Amino acid sequence: MCSKLLLLLLLLPQAFWCQNPGQLDTSFDGDGKIYTTFVSSTYINWSCAVATDATRVYLAGYANDGSGTINKLSCIAFNLNGTPDNSFATNGKFQLSWPTTAGAKDIEIQPDGKVLLFGRDNFHLLVVRLNHDGSLDPTWSEDGIAEFDASDTVDNSSRMALQQDGKLIISGETTAVNPEIFVARLDQNGSIDSSFGVGGKYSFTMPHYTGHLRNLVIQSDDKIIIAFDEGIVMNNLSYLLRITADGVLDNSFNTNGYIMNSGLLGYRAMATSPDGAIFAATTHNGNVIIDKFGTDGLQDNGFSATAPFQFESKDIFLKDGRIILVGYTKVRPFASTVTEDYAAIAFNENGSVDTNFGTNGIAWVDMGSQYDTALQGAIQSDGKILITGNYGWNGQFVVCRLIGPALLGTTTFGKNIVGLYPNPTIDHKFNIALGQKYSHVFVSISNTLGQQVEGAGLLRM
């Protein structure tokens, strides 16, 4: 015998049961923001990098030791709710005692939970590895600190990434008379992998001017793509360059191994998809632009992603059918105020702006100063977005967390009653799957006052 079913879709105010995409996540330290210091806010505390795993959020950078003159490589661990994780190092905080002066520029979390910190001291590049409890890992270069040089002059650290086999790719630039962009590889024990490139390193000599390495990604076949530029002196020449897993220029990429563009601010953020596509973000004439390239290095002219914001890009994340761009605004959106704010922009996978995220696709956060310069972002497995960087010139490590873009879904409130999210939602389709045969199914869309939504009608199936 066939049954009858009455299915009601309630349009609930989203604040009733969840936060809107792009809002500060109030489950993170109460208001979505964290401000903390190592010794004293009187001195420098500067967070440069953020990373997350299944249990923690990490910030890395450099902080003064209280002397007022010595800044040390530093790392802080938080629980996912934003409270300090006191099981890490000393009360959740690690500072490197030697070398005397040092700082971290990037952070990576290994699959086994060990923490990698990449930076430099006054003379050398450093990669520090910590155990999950925040202690130095003696299996990494014997004392937990790998120290090396990319040139005979002072070298600057930039980004790093892990290969599938656990080897570590690091990158940066030299300040020699003939400056270079470099990529090097370390073995799993922290030693230079001499089988990579020449003596463990690949170098690209800048043809005109000192270069700045902006980003690095590793593709699924372990080929490495770096984004760098030569600055405004040379009309903003920007490059995307690919090297093979062996550390050699990959001439199958755009026929000569690299893509060069002029007149752009430079590709500052980059991501690669499982099928090898490359997404690179830049700014031109006051617009944010994401270009897409095939695995062969040729631009996909059928893809267009642009948004009318003055924005400095730092990271791109591909998550749940969205392209999420993290960075900071140069001018506050929808205003003329010259103010730098942490920000994220969400695009759909076809390049259109996800207008369900933030305000018309952009979410920005005033961290409290006129110049809040974001330096790096991270994304959690649940899609929540982390952003860290400078807090003006104030002496604090800072991070904020935003609710990520939402997928269309339902939440059950009671028998035969479901809620639809994100709410409000536009341009979405959904299917109702019934587990048995019904003779009649009635679908009515109503608001929380019990009023049928105008134009929704009553569907009989």
Side-chain angles (χ1 to χ4, degrees):
M1 180 175 179
C2 296
S3 303
K4 295 183 178 181
L5 172 68
L6 176 63
L7 183 65
L8 302 178
L9 295 184
L10 300 181
L11 297 184
L12 300 177
Q14 198 156 11
F16 178 77
W17 53 280
C18 68
Q19 291 185 263
N20 291 320
Q23 286 185 332
L24 282 166
D25 178 12
T26 55
S27 71
F28 190 60
D29 202 41
D31 62 357
K33 304 178 186 178
I34 292 177
Y35 304 81
T36 190
T37 61
F38 269 81
V39 179
S40 170
S41 61
T42 303
Y43 305 118
I44 286 178
N45 291 263
W46 210 321
S47 47
C48 299
V50 60
T52 184
D53 60 12
T55 61
R56 287 175 175 164
V57 172
Y58 295 90
L59 297 181
Y62 56 96
N64 195 268
D65 64 356
S67 67
T69 58
I70 299 175
N71 299 321
K72 293 185 174 293
L73 183 147
S74 305
C75 181
I76 304 178
F78 301 95
N79 297 306
L80 292 182
N81 64 4
T83 59
D85 186 342
N86 293 325
S87 67
F88 179 79
T90 303
N91 297 323
K93 300 177 181 180
F94 168 84
Q95 275 198 319
L96 188 65
S97 59
W98 179 92
T100 304
T101 298
K105 191 73 174 291
D106 201 6
I107 182 171
E108 282 281 340
I109 312 302
Q110 294 186 175
D112 61 4
K114 292 184 178 182
V115 182
L116 292 159
L117 304 169
F118 179 37
R120 50 162 287 192
D121 62 14
N122 285 339
F123 306 102
H124 310 285
L125 296 169
L126 302 172
V127 179
V128 175
R129 190 163 76 183
L130 306 177
N131 294 310
H132 190 259
D133 63 4
S135 61
L136 287 166
D137 179 7
T139 67
W140 179 264
S141 192
E142 298 183 353
D143 60 359
I145 306 168
E147 188 178 54
F148 53 94
D149 299 299
S151 70
D152 295 332
T153 61
V154 176
D155 305 316
N156 293 319
S157 60
S158 185
R159 292 294 186 108
M160 65 176 168
L162 283 164
Q163 291 188 166
Q164 298 177 64
D165 60 2
K167 293 185 178 182
L168 181 67
I169 300 296
I170 60 173
S171 64
E173 63 261 2
T174 71
T175 58
V177 176
N178 296 311
E180 296 177 333
I181 296 295
F182 71 85
V183 177
R185 187 165 72 189
L186 305 184
D187 278 321
Q188 294 90 336
N189 61 5
S191 61
I192 289 287
D193 180 2
S194 59
S195 68
F196 181 83
V198 178
K201 183 185 73 170
Y202 167 83
S203 298
F204 181 86
T205 301
M206 302 304 294
H208 304 107
Y209 191 67
T210 301
H212 300 284
L213 195 143
R214 304 296 184 177
N215 222 303
L216 175 150
V217 295
I218 299 178
Q219 296 186 289
S220 58
D221 57 1
D222 279 339
K223 290 184 177 181
I224 303 156
I225 303 174
I226 53 175
F228 57 96
D229 56 64
E230 293 191 84
I232 60 175
V233 174
M234 290 308 301
N235 193 30
N236 291 328
L237 286 179
S238 59
Y239 299 80
L240 295 179
L241 180 146
R242 190 166 73 187
I243 57 178
T244 68
D246 298 322
V248 180
L249 185 67
D250 182 5
N251 289 317
S252 69
F253 186 71
N254 198 36
T255 70
N256 58 1
Y258 61 86
I259 300 162
M260 184 178 71
N261 283 319
S262 63
L264 303 174
L265 182 62
Y267 291 119
R268 304 296 173 87
M270 189 169 48
T272 182
S273 63
D275 64 0
I278 303 149
F279 297 84
T282 185
T283 300
H284 186 60
N285 291 334
N287 293 306
V288 179
I289 300 169
I290 298 179
D291 290 333
K292 181 180 179 182
F293 302 90
T295 188
D296 55 5
L298 300 180
Q299 187 164 352
D300 181 353
N301 293 317
F303 177 85
S304 176
T306 184
F309 305 118
Q310 296 191 42
F311 190 87
E312 177 82 4
S313 305
K314 292 298 179 181
D315 283 295
I316 295 177
F317 303 100
L318 309 179
K319 179 72 173 173
D320 297 330
R322 303 297 201 285
I323 305 167
I324 302 167
L325 186 58
V326 170
Y328 64 95
T329 63
K330 306 292 292 235
V331 175
R332 185 164 289 170
F334 317 110
S336 58
T337 309
V338 180
T339 300
E340 294 177 356
D341 294 317
Y342 292 9
I345 304 173
F347 298 86
N348 297 304
E349 59 185 348
N350 64 2
S352 62
V353 174
D354 178 4
T355 55
N356 281 318
F357 181 81
T359 301
N360 294 337
I362 185 170
W364 67 96
V365 180
D366 181 2
M367 296 299 291
S369 78
Q370 185 175 358
Y371 299 105
D372 298 327
T373 306
L375 296 176
Q376 197 173 104
I379 193 161
Q380 297 182 178
S381 59
D382 60 4
K384 292 180 178 180
I385 303 163
L386 295 156
I387 310 174
T388 192
N390 304 341
Y391 168 47
W393 289 101
N394 296 291
Q396 298 190 68
F397 269 43
V398 295
V399 63
C400 69
R401 189 166 76 188
L402 302 173
I403 302 296
L407 297 176
L408 187 70
T410 59
T411 297
T412 301
F413 289 93
K415 185 177 180 181
N416 294 342
I417 300 176
V418 297
L420 182 67
Y421 66 88
N423 190 356
T425 183
I426 59 173
D427 297 333
H428 281 118
K429 297 179 180 179
F430 60 94
N431 297 318
I432 300 172
L434 305 178
Q436 64 182 90
K437 185 176 181 180
Y438 294 91
S439 60
H440 296 87
V441 176
F442 300 92
V443 178
S444 177
I445 301 178
S446 303
N447 60 26
T448 53
L449 299 178
Q451 301 165 334
Q452 186 172 326
V453 175
E454 184 177 353
L458 184 64
L459 175 64
R460 292 177 173 85
M461 304 165 62

